[in-house]
Amino acid sequence: MNYIYSIISTGKNFYGDTDPVALAEEFGTPLYVYNENILRKRCRDLKGLISYDKFVVNYSPKANSNLELLKIIRDEGLRADAMSPGEIFLNLKAGYQPGEILYICNNVGEDEFLYAIQSGVNISVDSLSQLEMFGKLNPGGEVAFRLNPGVGAGHHEKVRTAGSKTKFGIEMKLVPHVKKLLKEYNLKLIGINQHIGSLFLTGEAYLRSTVNILKVAREFEELEFIDLGGGFGIPYKKQAKEERLDLRDLGKKLSDRIAKWTAGYGKKIEFMIEPGRYIVAESSILLGRVNAVKSNYGIKYIGTDIGFNVLVRPAMYDSHHDIEIYRKEGEPSDHEETVRIVGNICETGDIIAKDRKLPELFEKDIIGILDSGAYGFSMSSNYNNRLRPAEVLVEANGNCRLIRRRDTLEDLAGKFVE
Ligand SMILES: *Cc1c(COP(=O)(O)O)cnc(C)c1O
């Protein structure tokens, strides 16, 4: 087995006692491979972000909700967010108590509210309209609201979730209306949360956004928590030595602000963050197989079995993922060339990497798409009636085990009603 081009995974001993070609042969491709050690390390990084004894990290499972991974994350002492009844359900299955789950919902119906209320999870609402609906369903209850602090961040306009160009949160100028509704329905405001966007690599906007939420929070006396949001980025361009987010610096500045605020508020409440990507992204490499190599009008295409039904980020957000190459035997790749790596879906936009300089690729090569653990499997679909891939975990002891089986053809027909 040759690791043709594999600086990152080799450096991390990503595959433990096994190797990517053996995994592809045993489990088939495409295949999401996770590394438990890396997952645990990332949980610990963020648990240690802030020095404050009531600091809580809520993992946001929309980045990846494999039940086995949720159990590991829970074992590391993280709590959980949920964005849907399904995520509440899976968090409970992973062993969380309802009180450890914060349901941050957006435009939900009465049924969903009732499911959440009956589950006993904490609930944050996203508009005055939803606060009113909640108040009618659960008068006298406890509730939090999501603030739009007027500052956004993120790698793409689709994932900037605060500021003036997004559907999320309640504007600061509407806070008096929040108070009125709280009174009208005798609700207790237990928390304020925000989430400004996904994938920042400098802490500047995140820090700036805390000013406003802390100011608003001072106006409420019975708060139990303030949730500053997720969005912590990871370097997707590791082969080009992209720098990591400086957690030490960000953590220190956040700790200072929290200490100051707490002194003014007069009591120690919980401070939360809600990361998804940072926890899981780097714990996975997606393996695929090269099925065809061809030239079309001057562009060299590497045709793989990783369609955008398997990993949609490049097609949806123009995201970059580093790529490694593994080969069972034979051919060295002694020259580099610029290629377009594509999948097997019937759309021209089905591109994994647009113009990427890589060592020469051949049919039957295995490619590894790095940092695919966040918004990878969780956004996969059966588009083109393709099967969603299997997921395997390289455990801390180096062993490998299946943690989700591949779809079968029968699964495709399974939900039709005759
Ligand atoms: C998606 C989401 C997160 C997690 O975002 P990451 O960028 O993956 O850290 C946190 N909070 C809310 C409300 C979200 O919607």
Side-chain angles (χ1 to χ4, degrees):
M1 149 72 192
N2 290 309
Y3 283 74
I4 301 293
Y5 185 63
S6 65
I7 304 153
I8 306 296
S9 67
T10 306
K12 295 177 174 176
N13 188 27
F14 187 92
Y15 296 102
D17 298 340
T18 179
D19 70 66
V21 172
L23 286 171
E25 282 177 355
E26 184 177 352
F27 297 100
T29 55
L31 181 70
Y32 278 98
V33 184
Y34 297 89
N35 180 295
E36 179 176 349
N37 288 327
I38 296 172
L39 179 60
R40 288 186 183 276
K41 167 86 172 67
R42 293 298 169 237
C43 291
R44 289 169 198 175
D45 285 355
L46 288 190
K47 283 268 292 177
L49 178 71
I50 291 174
S51 55
Y52 175 75
D53 53 0
K54 295 184 98 177
F55 174 55
V56 175
V57 183
N58 281 342
Y59 171 63
S60 188
K62 81 174 194 285
N64 190 315
S65 52
N66 184 293
L67 204 47
E68 294 304 305
L69 304 184
L70 293 184
K71 287 176 186 167
I72 293 170
I73 292 165
R74 180 173 170 272
D75 183 59
E76 286 294 327
L78 276 65
R79 290 201 224 149
D81 272 359
M83 306 287 142
S84 66
E87 288 185 2
I88 294 175
F89 174 79
L90 281 174
N91 283 330
L92 294 171
K93 282 256 180 234
Y96 282 107
Q97 297 298 313
E100 297 173 320
I101 300 169
L102 176 59
Y103 182 42
I104 302 177
C105 53
N106 179 242
N107 306 333
V108 301
E110 294 185 345
D111 289 358
E112 288 197 13
F113 264 142
L114 286 172
Y115 175 81
I117 292 163
Q118 278 151 18
S119 320
V121 300
N122 298 307
I123 298 172
S124 167
V125 299
D126 190 49
S127 60
L128 296 177
S129 153
Q130 294 256 280
L131 180 58
E132 179 142 34
M133 186 191 283
F134 178 89
K136 285 181 179 156
L137 292 171
N138 194 28
E142 298 185 338
V143 72
F145 77 89
R146 177 169 178 170
L147 179 75
N148 181 333
V151 179
H155 67 95
H156 190 285
E157 136 186 7
K158 287 180 190 166
V159 300
R160 252 165 253 146
T161 52
S164 58
K165 294 196 182 103
T166 171
K167 66 175 178 168
F168 290 108
I170 297 179
E171 274 185 72
M172 295 199 292
K173 69 173 191 215
L174 297 179
V175 168
H177 296 270
V178 171
K179 288 183 180 167
K180 224 163 77 193
L181 286 170
L182 291 173
K183 211 159 155 200
E184 188 173 341
Y185 294 99
N186 190 27
L187 299 169
K188 178 180 170 194
L189 189 82
I190 55 166
I192 304 181
N193 58 296
Q194 66 175 19
H195 174 61
I196 65 169
S198 194
L199 212 178
F200 54 80
L201 281 170
T202 64
E204 193 250 336
Y206 195 81
L207 275 166
R208 208 151 24 93
S209 76
T210 63
V211 175
N212 289 339
I213 193 173
L214 291 178
K215 199 159 75 192
V216 170
R218 282 291 286 272
E219 297 184 34
F220 296 91
E221 281 161 18
E222 296 181 304
L223 290 182
E224 292 169 13
F225 69 85
I226 294 173
D227 177 348
L228 302 175
F232 302 83
I234 62 116
Y236 280 98
K237 295 181 173 165
K238 292 183 169 60
Q239 290 164 342
K241 302 198 168 24
E242 187 175 21
E243 297 238 355
R244 297 194 73 81
L245 170 65
D246 187 347
L247 287 180
R248 268 251 291 260
D249 181 63
L250 177 59
K252 193 180 163 310
K253 288 175 179 156
L254 286 171
S255 300
D256 287 351
R257 289 197 185 174
I258 290 170
K260 263 199 208 109
W261 187 87
T262 301
Y265 195 64
K267 69 178 171 195
K268 272 196 159 174
I269 64 170
E270 283 179 335
F271 268 87
M272 296 174 177
I273 57 170
E274 44 184 38
R277 182 190 314 277
Y278 189 90
I279 299 293
V280 285
E282 295 167 290
S283 73
S284 180
I285 297 179
L286 168 61
L287 298 181
R289 189 180 293 275
V290 176
N291 288 332
V293 176
K294 75 191 266 190
S295 264
N296 246 5
Y297 295 94
I299 294 174
K300 185 161 178 186
Y301 288 91
I302 307 296
T304 76
D305 56 6
I306 303 180
F308 73 71
N309 67 305
V310 174
L311 179 71
V312 77
R313 295 191 70 252
M316 185 146 171
Y317 310 117
D318 291 322
S319 301
H320 173 101
H321 285 267
D322 280 345
I323 291 174
E324 296 197 338
I325 304 168
Y326 320 111
R327 188 168 300 152
K328 189 160 184 180
E329 58 206 5
E331 320 273 344
S333 287
D334 22 82
H335 73 280
E336 291 193 334
E337 51 187 18
T338 297
V339 293
R340 185 161 298 180
I341 302 194
V342 296
N344 51 7
I345 294 291
C346 251
E347 285 193 27
T348 299
D350 183 28
I351 297 170
I352 304 161
K354 204 156 195 177
D355 293 304
R356 192 67 63 86
K357 203 163 183 198
L358 284 169
E360 189 175 9
L361 279 145
F362 300 95
E363 289 94 342
K364 293 199 168 77
D365 279 350
I366 299 297
I367 60 170
I369 314 291
L370 300 191
D371 303 320
S372 60
Y375 308 104
F377 189 93
S378 69
M379 294 181 86
S380 68
S381 76
N382 290 121
Y383 185 46
N384 276 210
N385 283 296
R386 292 211 161 269
L387 307 181
R388 280 172 307 164
E391 299 181 287
V392 299
L393 177 68
V394 178
E395 296 179 320
N397 60 17
N399 288 342
C400 185
R401 88 186 149 92
L402 187 67
I403 55 171
R404 178 176 180 128
R405 68 162 173 81
R406 187 178 306 283
D407 284 349
T408 63
L409 290 174
E410 282 304 318
D411 290 333
L412 296 178
K415 288 173 198 160
F416 292 109
V417 181
E418 289 192 8

